[in-house]
Amino acid sequence: MGDHPARSVVWQACLVTRADLDKQPHEVAEMFDGVASRYDLTNTVISFGQDRGWRRATRAALGLRPGERVLDVGAGTGVSTEELSRSGAFAVGADISVGMLRAGRRVRAEVPLLAGDALRLPFADGVFDAVTISFALRNVVDTTAALREFARVTRPGGRLVVCEFSHPTNGPFRTAYLQYLMRSLPAVARTVASNPEAYVYLAESIRAWPDQRGLASRIAAAGPWDRVGWRNLTGGIVALHRATRV
């Protein structure tokens, strides 16, 4: 679910522990149905406006050309899909949360948004020139299966870009960042989010997610992806992983 710093919000924080980070599709959908109304605003506030730049960087990394077709998995309200369409490509968003899609359609009626599970995308083989997913891969119950499903709907030679939280590369900066995640982020979320308690899970899921090299290894192992690489954004808070469909 796209451009979404809050995408890791899956359960009420009171129901989640560090050892309980597995995600089931219906739980993901239900959680995002509940946070849809203020989702975009919360993302912008908790990222201090960095989410806009991350969306632009994702579009640039995809190298989209007019007339190409791009799938935005985990699109949420479609704000990331709308950004992708600025390239001139035909951008389609898919998300498992009907509530998020409804919220998006109210404000972005011109953006194609469809209900779809990342593990069972409702598209034929090889129909897209590129596929992207932003801040949503962590919430898929089977990362490898999702990466293979993305490959299924991508034509040979097509591109994949995963925009996801990662690990800051500078030690002192990483320490400060983790302190923000665990202490300040829930407090900031209380001022804007419809379910601020769930942002405790956001922090925990970011800490549990693989670093840049670890995610690159997962993408390469999933296949059939080749030429896997990454680029850090905001000091490694976010990383763009790019690959080419074999």
Side-chain angles (χ1 to χ4, degrees), residues 163-179:
C163 179
E164 188 54 88
F165 285 116
S166 197
H167 293 219
T169 56
N170 177 275
F173 178 52
R174 175 171 169 76
T175 298
Y177 170 63
L178 289 174
Q179 288 177 344

Side-chain angles (χ1 to χ4, degrees), residues 17 55 71 101 155 199 209:
T17 68
R55 286 195 291 273
L71 174 62
L101 295 171
R155 66 166 176 80
Y199 285 78
W209 187 246

